[in-house]
Amino acid sequence: MIVNRTVLTLDEFTIRQLRNFPQATGELSNLLRDIGLAAKCVNDEVNKAGLVVILGETGSINNQGEEVKKLDLFANDQLIGVLRHCISCAGIASEELEDFLSFDDVVSRNSKYICLFDPLNGSANIDTNISIGTIFSVYRRVSEKGKACILEDFLQTGIHQIAAGYIIYGSSTMLVYATRLGVNGFTLDPSIGEFTLSHPDITCPDSGKIYTVNHGNFLQFSEEVKKYIESCQQQSFSERYVGSMVADLHRNIIKGGIFLYPATIDKPEGKLRLLYECNPFAFIMEVAGGRATNGSQRILDIRPTALHERTPFFAGSKNMMDTLESLLLPS
Ligand code: P6P
């Protein structure tokens, strides 16, 4: 019997990718599979979020006698729980943890990758049923295998990312990840409980007609940023802003557009976190053909000094970024 498999699951896809790297150990495939597993658990809980009121408010005990956790912490626990017991991750850093966490069992200590993530970005949007997401970033550790992780493992410049991606919990649940080979999107098929390849080889259009910014901060922007926003308005571009980074950037990567979270008077360093929000999206955006800067420097070249440091963030279609930079960095 010939089985006609036109659908590729995430596992099948990552294993096929191994053919491009004969020396590969399969550890990255394992790591991506485990992130996908955690994402499925988070997805299940996020989809019930609206029912929390029935099941008991966050922090209370629901009618099954279980504590109802904040979804951010639930997502964080799921990712740590899966990665701690996989064979490919030596340690993690998370938006939800003050410091990094080095897994202390022998197998983890002999793993070559470390992970950073924002377990549930945009979680303030949960109670209005707006799309939210998980963002992740994967590096080779720089510390010696067999020993505990060190801070430098997590403070690498973004250009050293081995993979980066996000899960968007929206009208459908998608896992999108990039390696240097390309960006690929997988949609969760609830009927088989697998992420299946739905958006192969994602590229960001060189131009777009969408600009994404919180206009409420307009008066706090620099004159140059204001000029760029006004140029978008003069060209009748559409302003689209969900206030959920994963949703806003996913749309702009697919359709073309530019995302701006500039420095403001209140937040001179910007709001978004370099390590687990901006670096992963900068990597994905560049592999997809777009660009990402802090206004003066390529995001992936910034040398981090702290786990939770913030940065101004501009990312999007190449031609739109060129126009922005011509205003921000006059020759
Ligand atoms: P503001 C969500 O809190 C978040 O971190 C990103 O997901 C989003 O892009 C940004 O902040 C929204 O920030 O200040 O416009 O509400």
Side-chain angles (χ1 to χ4, degrees), residues 39 43 132-134 166-177 184-188 195-200 202 246 250 254:
N43 177 64
I132 54 179
T134 297
Y166 57 88
I167 295 92
I168 179 167
Y169 309 100
S171 48
S172 65
T173 297
M174 268 188 78
L175 185 149
V176 176
Y177 84 91
N184 290 280
F186 301 79
T187 300
L188 182 62
F195 283 104
T196 55
L197 183 64
S198 54
H199 295 67
I202 294 172
V246 174
H250 178 69
I254 302 290

Side-chain angles (χ1 to χ4, degrees), residues 91-101 114-119 121 134-139 150-166 245 269-284 294 298-313:
I92 59 101
S94 166
E95 198 265 348
E96 295 293 338
L97 298 179
E98 189 52 42
D99 201 356
F100 69 89
L101 174 62
I114 57 101
C115 247
L116 299 100
F117 45 76
D118 186 348
N121 181 282
T134 297
I135 311 169
F136 63 89
S137 177
V138 181
Y139 293 82
I150 59 175
L151 181 58
E152 286 67 23
D153 287 324
F154 300 93
L155 296 184
Q156 302 180 55
T157 51
I159 191 61
H160 291 114
Q161 289 177 98
I162 300 299
Y166 57 88
M245 183 180 195
E269 296 305 312
K271 172 183 184 183
L272 302 179
R273 312 284 190 170
L274 173 61
L275 291 187
Y276 41 76
E277 290 180 318
C278 300
N279 265 338
F281 270 110
F283 184 82
I284 295 162
N294 66 359
R298 184 184 177 215
I299 289 287
L300 296 181
D301 288 338
I302 297 175
R303 181 167 297 284
T305 55
L307 286 178
H308 302 288
E309 72 180 72
R310 301 174 192 268
T311 177
F313 186 60

Side-chain angles (χ1 to χ4, degrees), residues 5-13 40 173-175 184-200:
R5 285 298 316 276
T6 55
V7 170
L8 268 186
T9 67
L10 174 64
D11 290 2
E12 288 169 322
F13 181 84
K40 286 188 260 188
T173 297
M174 268 188 78
L175 185 149
N184 290 280
F186 301 79
T187 300
L188 182 62
D189 179 344
S191 68
I192 57 172
E194 292 283 359
F195 283 104
T196 55
L197 183 64
S198 54
H199 295 67

Side-chain angles (χ1 to χ4, degrees), residues 121-122 214 217 241 243-245 259 261 271-272 277:
N121 181 282
N214 180 342
N217 298 325
Y241 192 75
S244 182
M245 183 180 195
F259 176 101
Y261 207 106
K271 172 183 184 183
L272 302 179
E277 290 180 318

